[in-house]
Amino acid sequence: EDGKEFPKIEEAIDNGHRFAILNFWRNAGSEPIRRQPLAVLSPHYSTGTYFPNDKPDPESSFWYTFPEMTPDEVLVFKQYDRDGSFLSDIWHCALKSVVDESAPPRESFDIRALVVFPEKVESNKDRFSEDRLQPVLDLEQSGEFCDEQAEKRSSQK
C-alpha cells in the first residue's frame, strides 16, 4: 500500500523481532573446485562474548575448507543473527594459499536469505539496535585476518 515490497518484514524488524541471514554458497562451474576453495572460520572467543564485542582468538579458532566441492553441493551457513546470545560471525573467504595452479579458476556464487522469527530479541542482546557497538575489525583488518589464518593453516601442513 505504501510502495514497500515487504512491509510486514520491515515492521517485524522495526518491532524487535529476531532475524538471521543465511548464506547459500555453491560451485557454479562444471568441475569440482581445485583452486582457491571456500573456507569458513569457526570462531572461538576467549572472553565469552561474540562479535562485534570481541574478535576471534586466532589460536583457538579453526578454518574449514571445502576443496573438491562439486556443482551438486551447496554449503549453507548462518552469516548473521540479530540475537547476541548466538554466534553470528561466520567469516568466509577463498584461501589463496590453497591453490592448484593447473586447475581452472573457481566459479562460484552465493545467495543470502533473510529469515525473520516470531520471537523478539531482548534489548540487551540486540545486535541491530540503534546503539549497537561497531565491529572491532574494519573490512581491511578482516581481510588481513583471513590471510593470516590461511598462511597459518598452510604452514601447519
Side-chain angles (χ1 to χ4, degrees):
E1 26 188 279
D2 60 1
K4 292 184 179 179
E5 197 168 332
F6 301 102
K8 290 183 181 182
I9 292 173
E10 289 180 17
E11 183 179 323
I13 291 171
D14 289 345
N15 287 326
H17 285 265
R18 179 180 170 211
F19 68 89
I21 299 172
L22 301 180
N23 194 322
F24 298 78
W25 193 93
R26 184 172 180 202
N27 172 3
S30 59
E31 298 294 322
I33 293 174
R34 290 187 295 279
R35 184 174 180 179
Q36 296 184 333
L38 177 70
V40 293
L41 178 70
S42 174
H44 292 266
Y45 297 88
S46 55
T47 63
T49 62
Y50 301 128
F51 182 83
N53 301 324
D54 196 7
K55 59 184 174 183
D57 176 9
E59 298 304 315
S60 61
S61 297
F62 295 96
W63 282 99
Y64 294 91
T65 61
F66 297 86
E68 300 291 324
M69 194 169 180
T70 69
D72 297 330
E73 297 175 302
V74 175
L75 180 66
V76 180
F77 55 95
K78 183 173 66 170
Q79 184 72 40
Y80 177 84
D81 194 316
R82 180 180 194 160
D83 190 333
S85 56
F86 294 98
L87 183 65
S88 179
D89 59 323
I90 302 300
W91 299 12
H92 63 289
C93 61
L95 289 183
K96 295 176 183 173
S97 63
V98 182
V99 175
D100 175 356
E101 291 295 337
S102 65
R106 185 188 79 197
E107 297 177 54
S108 61
F109 69 93
D110 65 338
I111 296 173
R112 293 188 179 117
L114 176 70
V115 180
V116 180
F117 299 93
E119 70 265 16
K120 291 188 176 185
V121 177
E122 296 174 31
S123 61
N124 64 332
K125 296 180 182 177
D126 191 353
R127 284 192 181 98
F128 197 68
S129 68
E130 292 291 326
D131 60 343
R132 66 186 176 267
L133 293 174
Q134 296 302 311
V136 294
L137 296 178
D138 63 26
L139 185 59
E140 183 178 334
Q141 291 170 322
S142 177
E144 290 170 1
F145 180 81
C146 287
D147 292 343
E148 288 170 9
Q149 291 296 301
E151 288 175 24
K152 177 183 171 185
R153 180 177 166 79
S154 65
S155 69
Q156 292 175 343
K157 289 183 176 181

